[in-house]
Amino acid sequence: MDKTRLENYAKLIVRSGLNVQDGQEVLIQCSLDQPEFVTMVVEECYKSGAKRVTVKWSHMPVSKVNYIYRSLETLSEFTDTERAEWQYRVDKLPCLLWLDSDDPDGLAGTDSQKIASANMARFPSIKPFRDAIENKYQWCIAAVPGKEWACKIFPGIPAEEAIEKLWDAILLCSRVTEDPIAEWDNHNKNLAMRCKFLNDYRFDKLEYKSLNGTDFVVGLNQKGIFCGGGETTLGANIYFNPNIPSEEVFTSPMRGRADGKVVSTKPLSYQGKLIENFWVEFKDGKVIKVGAEKNQDVLEKMVAMDEGAAYLGEVALIAYDSPINNTGILFYNTLFDENASCHLALGRGFNNCLENYEQYSNEECEKLGINSSMIHVDFMIGSKDLSIVGVTKEGKRVQIFKDGNWAF
Ligand code: ZN
């Protein structure tokens, strides 16, 4: 890949994504796939004033072997080292960058129930740390090509070529132009305009309809707001872009208010399995029935993971004509696929989708209708003919999406 384009991408990630400030620490989590690019990013962090950049390498085949050979007991352990690492994050609030290149099938052949049980056992230990840093630090997820991932998306061609094609797709979807920082400023303004339009109406609910069978109503939170693009940290007030790419305008709906059926428009890659042609039915906010042509059992297990897994945490609006959807590629990766079309997420909601959320504790946010769960799984429901109508408390109806795209 052309070095200048990669440098532009590294700049975008560090300056617009993390927005690293003078004297901050940065933690980078990545796989062994693109060490030269990771080095570029590290250098860019230092040029932006970072005082320490730590890279935490991983390798999925090693994770897989661990999952296979370790007992549920040792997998469930929350070690002193981990505790110290989390405490360090609470104390120093380092920026966190995750460069994702994972093989979507990398954990195939492992016992997903064992992994889920281990995660569930560890969750209560991790949650207090996560709650303590939430919304207080800059973080960003971006992607780089891994060989297995690239070969899955582009089968039948040499790996080198597939990697090059995936680089191209990542850079295109991430809006890495000659001046990606200006491009993202513009993009963020656009998303902010859409959020303002939606927030000014204070819709009580959204009604979804599509010829594919989607016929669904979701209740919105009266204290809720739509967000999109960049976010601002609490306390330090630093603007950053948590997802590159990002096309969505989203909110956390009111827990307990969702009725009807939604039909998925893209397969869902979950724990190494692909759930295909599926639908989900809700009553009073809760999933009461699911169906899938492939891997229905995985979907059933997912919604039964914990109490909140059967409730919605997110409602996201994205034009059918998004740069990602227009590539026509199924990425088998949430960062891209979730930004390809309108989606919902089961599980954990976002406190920062409540107005003045910083005034509330986590428990209060839950009471106000933000769902809590150990999972947050997005699934796509955007179709070419999708219609979404916003309805206010007074009964005023406003067309928000028409024929799959924004209606305003
Ligand atoms: Zn989303």
Side-chain angles (χ1 to χ4, degrees):
M1 179 49 57
D2 176 56
K3 200 172 166 225
T4 314
R5 284 182 80 194
L6 292 184
E7 279 168 354
N8 279 338
Y9 184 39
K11 243 181 223 157
L12 174 71
I13 290 171
V14 174
R15 312 245 168 189
S16 303
L18 293 176
N19 193 7
V20 175
Q21 306 287 302
D22 227 18
Q24 278 195 310
E25 300 202 15
V26 182
L27 189 62
I28 301 176
Q29 283 176 15
C30 55
S31 294
L32 301 176
D33 295 303
Q34 299 288 344
E36 294 85 3
F37 181 71
V38 174
T39 310
M40 259 182 208
V41 171
V42 171
E43 190 171 4
E44 194 59 40
C45 288
Y46 283 123
K47 283 183 183 164
S48 298
K51 72 169 176 196
R52 186 203 303 267
V53 182
T54 308
V55 179
K56 216 176 161 183
W57 301 96
S58 61
H59 187 48
M60 218 177 198
V62 172
S63 311
K64 180 174 172 173
V65 169
N66 266 318
Y67 283 133
I68 291 173
Y69 285 92
R70 279 171 63 181
S71 66
L72 176 60
E73 201 190 336
T74 70
L75 281 175
S76 303
E77 246 168 5
F78 186 63
T79 63
D80 289 344
T81 313
E82 286 176 286
R83 195 179 312 277
E85 278 173 357
W86 272 103
Q87 190 56 51
Y88 187 79
R89 288 186 60 195
V90 172
D91 296 340
K92 304 269 176 176
L93 295 175
C95 304
L96 179 70
L97 172 64
W98 181 31
L99 288 174
D100 188 8
S101 57
D102 284 346
D103 174 8
D105 301 325
L107 294 181
T110 58
D111 178 353
S112 60
Q113 197 55 49
K114 181 173 153 190
I115 298 173
S117 303
N119 286 339
M120 217 171 336
R122 290 161 48 82
F123 185 63
S125 307
I126 295 172
K127 192 169 185 288
F129 291 106
R130 210 169 60 187
D131 289 348
I133 61 171
E134 206 185 354
N135 300 311
K136 292 183 188 147
Y137 67 105
Q138 303 117 269
W139 57 277
C140 178
I141 303 179
V144 293
K147 185 175 141 206
E148 287 74 19
W149 182 26
C151 290
K152 183 176 172 78
I153 301 177
F154 305 107
I157 56 172
E160 292 282 285
E161 245 174 78
I163 290 171
E164 203 60 15
K165 275 177 94 111
L166 182 51
W167 259 131
D168 249 332
I170 289 171
L171 297 179
L172 179 85
C173 295
S174 304
R175 299 173 181 257
V176 180
T177 55
E178 270 170 30
D179 186 356
I181 292 170
E183 173 78 22
W184 272 74
D185 283 346
N186 220 345
H187 180 49
N188 274 327
K189 269 185 205 139
N190 213 332
L191 292 171
M193 177 275 288
R194 304 223 183 267
C195 291
K196 185 175 184 318
F197 180 94
L198 295 166
N199 291 336
D200 285 350
Y201 270 109
R202 292 235 148 265
F203 291 114
D204 175 53
K205 57 184 177 182
L206 299 180
E207 294 178 359
Y208 292 67
K209 274 207 170 77
S210 168
L211 289 173
N212 69 11
T214 288
D215 190 353
F216 171 70
V217 183
V218 62
L220 298 184
N221 199 312
Q222 279 312 289
K223 287 190 180 340
I225 44 168
F226 280 90
C227 307
E231 292 178 13
T232 306
T233 58
L234 282 183
N237 253 321
I238 301 163
Y239 188 78
F240 67 103
N241 281 285
N243 287 359
I244 295 179
S246 180
E247 299 290 325
E248 61 177 354
V249 162
F250 64 96
T251 191
S252 276
M254 186 69 200
R255 184 184 154 112
R257 288 186 64 206
D259 290 279
K261 183 177 175 180
V262 282
V263 178
S264 76
T265 50
K266 279 183 197 290
L268 168 63
S269 177
Y270 183 70
Q271 290 185 338
K273 307 243 168 59
L274 205 60
I275 306 165
E276 287 178 72
N277 296 324
F278 64 98
W279 52 265
V280 183
E281 205 177 313
F282 293 86
K283 193 173 186 304
D284 298 327
K286 194 178 178 184
V287 176
I288 50 163
K289 227 173 169 185
V290 297
E293 264 174 34
K294 227 173 142 186
N295 284 320
Q296 178 165 331
D297 56 322
V298 180
L299 184 57
E300 280 166 357
K301 266 186 207 146
M302 188 185 99
V303 301
M305 193 70 87
D306 58 17
E307 210 235 328
Y311 290 87
L312 289 173
E314 183 189 359
V315 167
L317 307 174
I318 294 133
Y320 190 78
D321 281 325
S322 72
I324 295 167
N325 208 25
N326 285 338
T327 63
I329 298 170
L330 177 65
F331 286 86
Y332 303 97
N333 179 304
T334 305
L335 178 62
F336 291 84
D337 295 330
E338 82 151 349
N339 277 299
S341 92
C342 283
H343 61 265
L344 302 172
L346 286 163
R348 189 173 61 250
F350 308 118
N351 290 352
N352 59 352
C353 287
L354 288 177
E355 216 165 25
N356 305 319
Y357 71 99
E358 62 277 8
Q359 299 171 358
Y360 307 117
S361 66
N362 283 310
E363 291 69 33
E364 285 168 326
C365 289
E366 272 179 48
K367 273 200 194 103
L368 286 168
I370 302 291
N371 190 33
S372 165
S373 168
M374 61 178 281
I375 67 160
H376 175 97
V377 183
D378 300 87
F379 63 99
M380 304 305 120
I381 59 165
S383 63
K384 215 181 160 142
D385 71 307
L386 181 66
S387 155
I388 305 174
V389 173
V391 186
T392 66
K393 265 224 142 63
E394 298 73 38
K396 186 176 164 67
R397 300 173 63 82
V398 180
Q399 191 84 41
I400 293 170
F401 262 62
K402 195 175 181 296
D403 296 324
N405 290 315
W406 291 103
F408 63 87

